[in-house]
Coordinates of all heavy atoms in Angstrom, one line a residue:
M673 N 0.8 -1.2 0.0 CA 0.0 0.0 0.0 C 0.9 1.2 0.0 O 1.8 1.4 0.8 CB -0.9 0.0 1.2 CG -1.6 1.2 1.5 SD -2.8 1.2 2.9 CE -1.7 1.2 4.3
S674 N 0.7 2.1 -0.9 CA 1.4 3.4 -1.0 C 0.9 4.3 0.1 O -0.2 4.2 0.6 CB 1.2 4.1 -2.3 OG 1.7 3.3 -3.4
R675 N 1.8 5.1 0.6 CA 1.4 6.0 1.7 C 2.4 7.2 1.7 O 3.5 7.1 1.1 CB 1.4 5.3 3.1 CG 2.8 4.8 3.5 CD 2.7 4.1 4.8 NE 3.9 3.5 5.2 CZ 4.9 4.2 5.8 NH1 4.7 5.4 6.2 NH2 6.1 3.6 6.1
I676 N 2.0 8.2 2.5 CA 3.0 9.4 2.7 C 3.2 9.5 4.2 O 2.4 9.1 5.0 CB 2.5 10.7 2.1 CG1 1.2 11.2 2.9 CG2 2.2 10.6 0.6 CD1 0.9 12.7 2.6
A677 N 4.3 10.1 4.5 CA 4.7 10.4 5.9 C 5.1 11.9 5.9 O 6.0 12.3 5.1 CB 5.8 9.5 6.4
V678 N 4.4 12.6 6.8 CA 4.7 14.1 6.9 C 5.7 14.2 8.1 O 5.3 13.8 9.2 CB 3.5 14.9 7.1 CG1 3.8 16.4 7.3 CG2 2.5 14.7 5.9
Q679 N 6.8 14.9 7.9 CA 7.7 15.2 8.9 C 7.2 16.5 9.6 O 7.4 17.6 9.1 CB 9.1 15.4 8.4 CG 9.7 14.1 7.8 CD 11.1 14.4 7.2 OE1 11.2 14.7 6.1 NE2 12.1 14.3 8.0
E680 N 6.5 16.3 10.7 CA 5.8 17.4 11.3 C 6.7 18.5 11.7 O 6.3 19.7 11.7 CB 4.9 16.9 12.4 CG 3.8 16.0 12.0 CD 2.8 15.7 13.1 OE1 2.9 16.2 14.2 OE2 1.9 14.9 12.8
D681 N 7.9 18.2 12.1 CA 8.8 19.3 12.5 C 9.2 20.2 11.4 O 9.7 21.3 11.6 CB 10.1 18.7 13.2 CG 10.9 17.7 12.3 OD1 10.2 17.0 11.6 OD2 12.1 17.8 12.4
R682 N 9.1 19.7 10.2 CA 9.5 20.5 9.0 C 8.3 21.2 8.3 O 8.4 22.2 7.6 CB 10.2 19.6 7.9 CG 11.5 19.0 8.5 CD 12.1 18.3 7.3 NE 12.7 19.4 6.4 CZ 13.9 19.3 5.9 NH1 14.7 18.3 6.1 NH2 14.3 20.3 5.1
C683 N 7.1 20.7 8.6 CA 5.9 21.2 7.9 C 5.5 22.6 8.5 O 5.4 22.8 9.7 CB 4.7 20.2 8.1 SG 3.2 20.7 7.3
K684 N 5.2 23.5 7.6 CA 4.7 24.8 8.0 C 3.2 25.1 7.7 O 2.8 26.2 7.8 CB 5.6 25.9 7.2 CG 7.0 25.9 7.7 CD 7.8 27.0 7.0 CE 9.2 26.9 7.5 NZ 10.1 27.7 6.6
G685 N 2.5 24.0 7.3 CA 1.1 24.1 7.2 C 0.6 24.9 6.0 O -0.5 25.4 6.0
C686 N 1.4 25.0 5.0 CA 1.1 25.8 3.8 C 0.0 25.2 3.0 O -0.8 25.8 2.2 CB 2.3 26.1 2.9 SG 2.9 24.7 2.0
M687 N -0.1 23.8 3.1 CA -1.2 23.0 2.5 C -1.1 23.0 0.9 O -2.1 22.7 0.3 CB -2.6 23.4 2.9 CG -2.8 23.3 4.5 SD -2.3 21.6 5.1 CE -3.5 20.6 4.3
L688 N 0.1 23.3 0.4 CA 0.2 23.2 -1.1 C 0.0 21.7 -1.5 O -0.5 21.5 -2.6 CB 1.6 23.7 -1.5 CG 1.8 25.2 -1.5 CD1 3.3 25.5 -1.8 CD2 1.0 25.8 -2.6
C689 N 0.4 20.8 -0.6 CA 0.3 19.4 -0.9 C -1.1 19.0 -1.2 O -1.4 18.2 -2.0 CB 0.9 18.6 0.2 SG 0.3 19.0 1.9
S690 N -2.0 19.6 -0.4 CA -3.5 19.3 -0.6 C -4.0 19.7 -1.9 O -5.0 19.2 -2.4 CB -4.3 19.8 0.6 OG -4.3 21.2 0.5
T691 N -3.4 20.8 -2.5 CA -3.9 21.3 -3.8 C -3.6 20.4 -5.0 O -4.2 20.5 -6.0 CB -3.4 22.7 -4.0 OG1 -2.0 22.7 -4.2 CG2 -3.8 23.7 -2.9
V692 N -2.5 19.6 -4.8 CA -2.1 18.7 -5.9 C -2.4 17.3 -5.8 O -2.2 16.5 -6.7 CB -0.6 18.9 -6.2 CG1 -0.3 20.3 -6.6 CG2 0.2 18.5 -5.0
C693 N -3.0 16.9 -4.6 CA -3.3 15.5 -4.4 C -4.5 15.1 -5.3 O -5.6 15.6 -5.2 CB -3.7 15.3 -2.9 SG -4.1 13.6 -2.6
P694 N -4.3 14.1 -6.2 CA -5.3 13.7 -7.1 C -6.5 13.0 -6.5 O -7.6 13.0 -7.0 CB -4.6 12.7 -8.1 CG -3.5 12.2 -7.3 CD -3.0 13.3 -6.4
V695 N -6.3 12.5 -5.3 CA -7.4 11.8 -4.6 C -7.9 12.7 -3.4 O -8.8 12.2 -2.6 CB -7.1 10.4 -4.1 CG1 -7.0 9.5 -5.4 CG2 -5.8 10.4 -3.4
Q696 N -7.4 13.9 -3.2 CA -7.8 14.8 -2.2 C -7.9 14.2 -0.7 O -8.9 14.4 -0.1 CB -9.2 15.4 -2.6 CG -9.2 16.1 -3.9 CD -8.3 17.4 -3.8 OE1 -8.5 18.2 -3.0 NE2 -7.3 17.5 -4.7
I697 N -6.8 13.6 -0.3 CA -6.8 12.9 1.0 C -6.0 13.7 2.0 O -6.0 13.4 3.2 CB -6.4 11.5 1.0 CG1 -5.0 11.3 0.4 CG2 -7.4 10.6 0.2 CD1 -4.4 10.0 0.4
I698 N -5.3 14.7 1.6 CA -4.4 15.5 2.5 C -5.2 16.6 3.1 O -5.8 17.4 2.4 CB -3.1 16.0 1.8 CG1 -2.4 14.8 1.2 CG2 -2.3 16.8 2.8 CD1 -1.2 15.3 0.3
V699 N -5.2 16.7 4.5 CA -6.0 17.7 5.2 C -5.1 18.3 6.2 O -4.0 17.9 6.6 CB -7.2 17.1 5.9 CG1 -8.2 16.5 4.8 CG2 -6.9 16.0 6.9
Q700 N -5.6 19.5 6.8 CA -4.9 20.1 7.8 C -5.2 19.5 9.2 O -6.4 19.3 9.5 CB -5.2 21.6 7.8 CG -4.2 22.4 8.7 CD -4.4 23.9 8.5 OE1 -5.5 24.4 8.4 NE2 -3.3 24.6 8.3
S701 N -4.2 19.2 10.0 CA -4.4 18.6 11.2 C -4.9 19.6 12.3 O -4.8 20.8 12.1 CB -3.1 18.0 11.7 OG -3.1 17.6 13.0
D702 N -5.5 19.1 13.4 CA -5.9 19.9 14.5 C -4.7 20.1 15.4 O -4.7 20.9 16.3 CB -7.0 19.3 15.3 CG -8.3 19.3 14.5 OD1 -8.5 20.1 13.6 OD2 -9.1 18.4 14.8
R703 N -3.6 19.3 15.2 CA -2.4 19.4 16.0 C -1.5 20.5 15.6 O -1.5 20.8 14.4 CB -1.6 18.1 16.0 CG -2.4 16.9 16.6 CD -1.5 15.7 16.5 NE -0.7 15.5 15.3 CZ -1.1 15.0 14.2 NH1 -2.4 14.7 14.0 NH2 -0.3 14.8 13.2
F704 N -0.7 21.0 16.5 CA 0.3 22.0 16.2 C 1.7 21.4 16.3 O 1.9 20.6 17.3 CB 0.2 23.2 17.1 CG -1.0 24.1 16.9 CD1 -2.1 23.8 17.6 CD2 -1.0 25.1 16.0 CE1 -3.3 24.6 17.5 CE2 -2.2 25.9 15.8 CZ -3.3 25.6 16.5
N705 N 2.7 21.7 15.5 CA 4.0 21.3 15.7 C 4.7 22.2 16.6 O 4.2 23.2 17.1 CB 4.8 21.1 14.3 CG 5.0 22.4 13.6 OD1 4.8 23.5 14.1 ND2 5.5 22.3 12.4
Q706 N 6.0 22.0 16.9 CA 6.8 22.8 17.8 C 6.9 24.2 17.4 O 7.1 25.1 18.3 CB 8.2 22.2 18.1 CG 8.1 20.8 18.8 CD 9.5 20.3 19.0 OE1 10.5 20.6 18.3 NE2 9.6 19.4 20.0
S707 N 6.8 24.5 16.1 CA 6.9 25.9 15.7 C 5.5 26.6 15.7 O 5.5 27.8 15.3 CB 7.5 25.9 14.2 OG 8.8 25.3 14.2
G708 N 4.5 25.9 16.0 CA 3.2 26.5 16.1 C 2.3 26.4 14.8 O 1.3 27.1 14.7
Y709 N 2.7 25.6 13.9 CA 2.0 25.4 12.6 C 1.1 24.2 12.7 O 1.4 23.2 13.3 CB 2.9 25.2 11.5 CG 3.9 26.3 11.2 CD1 5.2 26.2 11.4 CD2 3.4 27.5 10.6 CE1 6.1 27.3 11.2 CE2 4.3 28.6 10.4 CZ 5.6 28.4 10.6 OH 6.5 29.5 10.4
K710 N -0.1 24.3 12.1 CA -1.0 23.2 12.0 C -0.5 22.4 10.8 O -0.4 22.9 9.7 CB -2.4 23.6 11.7 CG -3.2 24.1 13.0 CD -4.6 24.2 12.7 CE -5.4 24.5 14.0 NZ -6.8 24.5 13.7
V711 N -0.1 21.2 11.0 CA 0.6 20.4 10.0 C -0.4 19.6 9.1 O -1.6 19.5 9.4 CB 1.5 19.4 10.6 CG1 2.6 20.1 11.4 CG2 0.8 18.4 11.6
A712 N 0.1 19.2 7.9 CA -0.7 18.4 7.0 C -0.7 17.0 7.5 O 0.3 16.5 8.1 CB -0.1 18.5 5.6
E713 N -1.8 16.3 7.2 CA -1.8 14.9 7.5 C -2.8 14.1 6.6 O -3.6 14.8 5.9 CB -2.3 14.7 9.0 CG -3.7 15.0 9.2 CD -4.2 14.6 10.6 OE1 -3.4 14.1 11.4 OE2 -5.4 14.9 10.9
V714 N -2.7 12.8 6.6 CA -3.7 12.0 5.9 C -4.4 11.2 7.0 O -3.7 10.4 7.7 CB -3.1 11.1 4.8 CG1 -4.1 10.2 4.2 CG2 -2.4 11.9 3.8
P715 N -5.7 11.3 7.1 CA -6.4 10.5 8.1 C -6.2 9.0 7.8 O -6.1 8.6 6.7 CB -7.9 10.9 7.9 CG -7.8 12.2 7.2 CD -6.6 12.2 6.4
E716 N -6.1 8.2 8.9 CA -5.8 6.8 8.8 C -6.8 6.1 7.9 O -6.4 5.2 7.1 CB -5.8 6.2 10.2 CG -5.2 4.8 10.2 CD -3.7 4.8 9.9 OE1 -3.0 5.7 10.3 OE2 -3.3 3.8 9.2
A717 N -8.0 6.5 7.9 CA -9.1 5.9 7.1 C -8.9 6.1 5.6 O -9.3 5.4 4.8 CB -10.5 6.4 7.5
D718 N -8.2 7.2 5.3 CA -8.0 7.6 3.9 C -6.6 7.1 3.3 O -6.4 7.2 2.1 CB -8.1 9.1 3.6 CG -9.5 9.5 3.8 OD1 -10.5 8.7 3.7 OD2 -9.7 10.7 4.2
M719 N -5.7 6.7 4.2 CA -4.4 6.3 3.8 C -4.3 5.3 2.6 O -3.5 5.4 1.7 CB -3.5 5.8 4.9 CG -2.1 5.7 4.7 SD -1.2 7.2 4.2 CE -1.1 8.0 5.8
E720 N -5.3 4.4 2.6 CA -5.3 3.3 1.6 C -5.6 3.9 0.2 O -5.4 3.2 -0.8 CB -6.2 2.2 2.0 CG -7.7 2.6 2.0 CD -8.6 1.5 2.5 OE1 -8.2 0.7 3.3 OE2 -9.8 1.5 2.1
K721 N -6.1 5.1 0.2 CA -6.5 5.7 -1.1 C -5.2 6.3 -1.8 O -5.3 6.7 -3.0 CB -7.5 6.8 -0.9 CG -8.8 6.3 -0.4 CD -9.8 7.4 -0.2 CE -11.1 6.9 0.5 NZ -11.9 8.0 0.9
C722 N -4.1 6.5 -1.1 CA -2.9 7.1 -1.6 C -2.4 6.3 -2.9 O -2.3 5.1 -2.8 CB -1.8 7.2 -0.6 SG -0.3 7.9 -1.2
T723 N -2.2 7.0 -3.9 CA -1.7 6.4 -5.2 C -0.2 6.3 -5.3 O 0.3 5.7 -6.2 CB -2.3 7.1 -6.4 OG1 -1.8 8.4 -6.4 CG2 -3.8 7.1 -6.4
G724 N 0.5 7.1 -4.4 CA 2.0 7.1 -4.5 C 2.5 7.9 -5.6 O 3.6 7.7 -6.1
C725 N 1.7 8.9 -6.1 CA 2.0 9.7 -7.2 C 3.2 10.7 -7.0 O 3.8 11.2 -8.0 CB 0.8 10.5 -7.7 SG 0.3 11.8 -6.6
T726 N 3.5 11.0 -5.8 CA 4.6 11.9 -5.3 C 4.3 13.4 -5.6 O 5.2 14.2 -5.4 CB 6.0 11.5 -5.9 OG1 6.0 11.8 -7.3 CG2 6.3 10.1 -5.6
S727 N 3.2 13.8 -6.1 CA 2.9 15.2 -6.4 C 3.1 16.0 -5.1 O 3.6 17.1 -5.1 CB 1.5 15.3 -6.9 OG 1.4 14.7 -8.2
C728 N 2.6 15.5 -4.0 CA 2.7 16.3 -2.7 C 4.1 16.5 -2.3 O 4.5 17.6 -1.9 CB 1.9 15.5 -1.6 SG 2.5 13.8 -1.3
A729 N 5.0 15.5 -2.4 CA 6.4 15.6 -2.1 C 7.1 16.6 -3.0 O 8.0 17.3 -2.6 CB 7.0 14.3 -2.1
L730 N 6.7 16.6 -4.3 CA 7.4 17.4 -5.2 C 7.1 18.9 -5.0 O 7.9 19.8 -5.3 CB 7.0 17.0 -6.7 CG 7.6 15.7 -7.1 CD1 7.0 15.3 -8.5 CD2 9.1 15.7 -7.2
I731 N 5.9 19.2 -4.6 CA 5.5 20.6 -4.4 C 5.8 21.2 -3.0 O 5.9 22.4 -2.9 CB 3.9 20.8 -4.7 CG1 3.7 22.2 -5.0 CG2 3.1 20.3 -3.5 CD1 2.3 22.5 -5.6
C732 N 6.1 20.3 -2.1 CA 6.4 20.8 -0.7 C 7.7 21.6 -0.7 O 8.8 21.1 -1.0 CB 6.5 19.6 0.2 SG 6.9 20.1 1.9
P733 N 7.6 22.9 -0.3 CA 8.8 23.7 -0.3 C 9.7 23.4 0.9 O 10.9 23.9 0.8 CB 8.2 25.2 -0.1 CG 6.9 24.9 0.5 CD 6.4 23.6 0.1
D734 N 9.3 22.7 1.8 CA 10.1 22.4 3.0 C 10.6 20.9 3.1 O 11.1 20.5 4.1 CB 9.3 22.7 4.3 CG 8.9 24.2 4.3 OD1 9.9 25.0 4.3 OD2 7.7 24.5 4.4
L735 N 10.4 20.2 2.0 CA 10.8 18.8 1.9 C 10.3 18.0 3.1 O 11.1 17.2 3.7 CB 12.3 18.7 1.8 CG 12.9 19.5 0.6 CD1 14.4 19.4 0.6 CD2 12.4 19.0 -0.7
A736 N 9.0 18.2 3.5 CA 8.5 17.6 4.7 C 7.7 16.3 4.4 O 7.2 15.7 5.4 CB 7.6 18.6 5.4
I737 N 7.6 15.9 3.2 CA 6.8 14.7 2.8 C 7.7 13.6 2.2 O 8.4 13.9 1.2 CB 5.7 15.1 1.9 CG1 4.8 16.1 2.6 CG2 4.8 13.9 1.5 CD1 3.7 16.7 1.7
R738 N 7.5 12.4 2.7 CA 8.2 11.3 2.1 C 7.0 10.4 1.6 O 6.0 10.2 2.3 CB 9.0 10.5 3.1 CG 10.2 11.2 3.5 CD 11.1 10.3 4.3 NE 12.4 11.1 4.5 CZ 13.2 10.8 5.6 NH1 12.9 9.9 6.4 NH2 14.2 11.6 5.7
V739 N 7.3 9.8 0.4 CA 6.3 8.9 -0.2 C 6.9 7.5 -0.2 O 8.0 7.3 -0.7 CB 6.0 9.4 -1.7 CG1 5.0 8.5 -2.3 CG2 5.4 10.8 -1.6
Y740 N 6.1 6.6 0.2 CA 6.4 5.2 0.2 C 5.5 4.5 -0.8 O 4.3 4.5 -0.5 CB 6.3 4.6 1.6 CG 7.2 5.2 2.6 CD1 6.8 6.3 3.4 CD2 8.5 4.8 2.7 CE1 7.7 6.9 4.3 CE2 9.4 5.4 3.6 CZ 9.0 6.5 4.4 OH 9.8 7.1 5.2
R741 N 6.0 4.0 -1.9 CA 5.2 3.4 -2.9 C 5.2 1.9 -2.7 O 6.2 1.3 -2.4 CB 5.8 3.7 -4.3 CG 5.6 5.1 -4.8 CD 6.2 5.2 -6.1 NE 5.9 6.5 -6.7 CZ 6.4 6.9 -7.9 NH1 7.2 6.1 -8.5 NH2 6.1 8.1 -8.3
T742 N 4.0 1.3 -3.1 CA 3.9 -0.1 -3.1 C 4.6 -0.6 -4.4 O 4.3 -0.1 -5.5 CB 2.4 -0.5 -3.2 OG1 1.8 0.0 -2.0 CG2 2.3 -2.0 -3.2
P743 N 5.5 -1.6 -4.3 CA 6.1 -2.1 -5.5 C 5.1 -2.7 -6.5 O 4.2 -3.4 -6.0 CB 7.1 -3.2 -5.0 CG 7.2 -2.9 -3.5 CD 6.0 -2.2 -3.1
K744 N 5.3 -2.4 -7.7 CA 4.4 -2.9 -8.7 C 4.8 -4.4 -9.0 O 5.9 -4.7 -9.1 CB 4.4 -2.1 -10.0 CG 3.8 -0.7 -9.8 CD 3.6 0.0 -11.1 CE 3.1 1.3 -10.8 NZ 2.3 1.9 -11.9
K745 N 3.7 -5.2 -9.2 CA 4.0 -6.6 -9.6 C 4.5 -6.7 -11.0 O 4.0 -6.0 -11.9 CB 2.7 -7.4 -9.4 CG 2.3 -7.5 -7.9 CD 1.1 -8.4 -7.8 CE 0.8 -8.5 -6.3 NZ -0.4 -9.4 -6.1
K746 N 5.4 -7.6 -11.2 CA 5.9 -7.8 -12.6 C 5.1 -8.9 -13.2 O 4.4 -9.7 -12.5 CB 7.4 -8.3 -12.5 CG 8.3 -7.3 -12.0 CD 9.7 -7.8 -11.9 CE 10.7 -6.8 -11.3 NZ 12.0 -7.3 -11.1
K747 N 5.1 -8.9 -14.5 CA 4.4 -10.0 -15.2 C 4.8 -11.3 -14.8 O 6.0 -11.6 -14.7 CB 4.6 -9.8 -16.8 CG 3.8 -8.6 -17.3 CD 3.9 -8.7 -18.8 CE 3.1 -7.5 -19.4 NZ 3.2 -7.5 -20.9
G748 N 3.9 -12.2 -14.5 CA 4.2 -13.5 -14.1 C 4.3 -13.7 -12.6 O 4.3 -14.8 -12.1
D749 N 4.4 -12.6 -11.8 CA 4.3 -12.7 -10.4 C 2.9 -12.8 -9.9 O 2.0 -12.2 -10.4 CB 5.0 -11.4 -9.7 CG 6.4 -11.3 -9.9 OD1 7.0 -12.4 -10.3 OD2 7.0 -10.3 -9.5
E750 N 2.7 -13.6 -8.9 CA 1.4 -13.8 -8.4 C 1.3 -13.5 -6.9 O 2.1 -13.6 -6.1 CB 0.9 -15.2 -8.6 CG 0.7 -15.4 -10.1 CD 0.2 -16.8 -10.3 OE1 -0.7 -17.3 -9.5 OE2 0.6 -17.4 -11.3

């Protein structure tokens, strides 16, 4: 399952990531980080919808998002 991880200490809550997410699963958290910003997050219930497209990580100005992709199966693998 593809997923993202937000490094909360780096996130400034700009929410640019939410504007490029094709499945619109990135939301602003109710929590604040140590710098006082409300950070981006993906609710646990929506994490399985992540496609691993990396758009959020590419647009993040603070390099606060890591994307973990599910390896694609090769032909003949079951």
Side-chain angles (χ1 to χ4, degrees):
M673 169 175 75
S674 295
R675 64 182 175 85
I676 68 165
V678 178
Q679 294 176 271
E680 293 189 5
D681 59 322
R682 298 188 71 137
C683 181
K684 292 183 182 163
C686 70
M687 300 309 295
L688 286 172
C689 52
S690 67
T691 66
V692 296
C693 179
V695 289
Q696 299 296 303
I697 59 173
I698 303 173
V699 296
Q700 193 169 45
S701 170
D702 290 334
R703 296 182 322 281
F704 292 92
N705 66 9
Q706 290 181 339
S707 299
Y709 298 109
K710 283 190 171 184
V711 296
E713 72 174 359
V714 175
E716 194 65 38
D718 291 335
M719 190 61 77
E720 66 186 30
K721 297 176 187 174
C722 180
T723 62
C725 70
T726 72
S727 294
C728 56
L730 292 172
I731 201 167
C732 181
D734 299 302
L735 305 174
I737 300 175
R738 289 194 176 151
V739 179
Y740 299 93
R741 288 183 173 171
T742 303
K744 294 190 180 210
K745 292 182 179 180
K746 295 179 183 176
K747 287 186 177 180
D749 286 350
E750 292 182 37

